[in-house]
Amino acid sequence: MSTPPPATAPLSTDVIEIERALSRIAYLSSRVRQHDRLMALVGVSLDRAAVTLLRQIADSEPLRPSELANRLAVEASHITRQVQQLQKAGYVTRVPDPDDRRAQRIQLTELGRETTDRIRQVSYRGMEAALANWSPEELRQLATLFHRMVDDFLGYPGPDPELVAGTGTGTGTGTTTAGDRDAGPLRPA
């Protein structure tokens, strides 16, 4: 990964447009009305945090609560509360950690898996309808570029404060470790 240009360099109009589009996508995907419509179509009543947690567990189960908190970049207490609510509702269960019998991991129950699958199917169908006029090649290209962008964001250590403030040349090397890439969602710039 290369060192970013100094803060005094002009910004790429393409990067500005990408950031604008991502902001719009983030807004659209986080609207309460959109989430409520999705839950109505699925036939469940779960908040956005619960859906995010269920999807994460489905993608990588079973995990310790601390691992879930790290992957979702939230406090462990937030995960503990969510897991308790999801467990009470029958969506998740705690199982012994095979690596450390004192610890527990969180996994989906059959109800949790079925519900997560229904949420995904409704989401996929909505996206498919919204992108119905895109060619298969455009869809493949978008998916490839999105995955590449997410991987690059996860590998980016964050902006050098000196570069952002415009006070120096910065020391960022652009190097990351495997732990940085696995640390979780995009760090805000």
Side-chain angles (χ1 to χ4, degrees):
M1 189 181 290
S2 63
T3 301
T8 56
L11 291 171
S12 160
T13 55
D14 292 333
V15 168
I16 292 169
E17 288 306 312
I18 291 167
E19 192 279 336
R20 285 180 181 166
L22 286 174
S23 293
R24 290 177 65 199
I25 290 169
Y27 169 75
L28 291 171
S29 67
S30 67
R31 291 187 314 184
V32 172
R33 191 176 351 179
Q34 181 80 6
H35 176 78
D36 291 346
R37 188 177 311 128
L38 173 63
M39 292 301 97
L41 289 169
V42 174
V44 297
S45 179
L46 294 168
D47 64 26
R48 289 179 288 178
V51 170
T52 300
L53 185 56
L54 287 174
R55 290 180 80 149
Q56 179 62 56
I57 295 167
D59 287 343
S60 56
E61 73 170 315
L63 292 172
R64 291 181 182 185
S66 60
E67 293 170 319
L68 288 166
N70 187 38
R71 288 181 184 218
L72 296 173
V74 298
E75 296 294 323
S77 60
H78 174 74
I79 295 296
T80 300
R81 282 190 302 273
Q82 283 292 328
V83 166
Q84 287 171 347
Q85 292 171 358
L86 290 170
Q87 188 174 14
K88 192 178 204 179
Y91 294 108
V92 299
T93 189
R94 295 173 186 267
V95 296
D97 185 331
D99 299 328
D100 181 354
R101 299 304 259 177
R102 297 168 295 169
Q104 294 182 323
R105 293 181 181 231
I106 310 304
Q107 74 177 21
L108 294 177
T109 62
E110 188 59 34
L111 174 63
R113 180 149 317 278
E114 290 171 3
T115 300
T116 304
D117 289 346
R118 286 197 328 265
I119 290 169
R120 285 184 168 158
Q121 284 303 311
V122 171
S123 293
Y124 296 158
R125 295 292 179 204
M127 184 167 290
E128 186 176 58
L131 301 176
N133 293 324
W134 288 50
S135 73
E137 178 56 33
E138 289 171 320
L139 293 172
R140 267 190 299 282
Q141 190 174 28
L142 179 63
T144 299
L145 291 172
F146 261 133
H147 284 292
R148 179 178 169 193
M149 183 176 65
V150 169
D151 290 345
D152 286 349
F153 280 153
L154 291 174
Y156 180 59
D160 185 321
E162 291 180 10
L163 284 175
V164 173
T167 60
T169 59
T171 59
T173 63
T175 60
T176 59
T177 65
D180 293 332
R181 286 187 295 279
D182 297 334
L186 169 66
R187 294 172 196 91

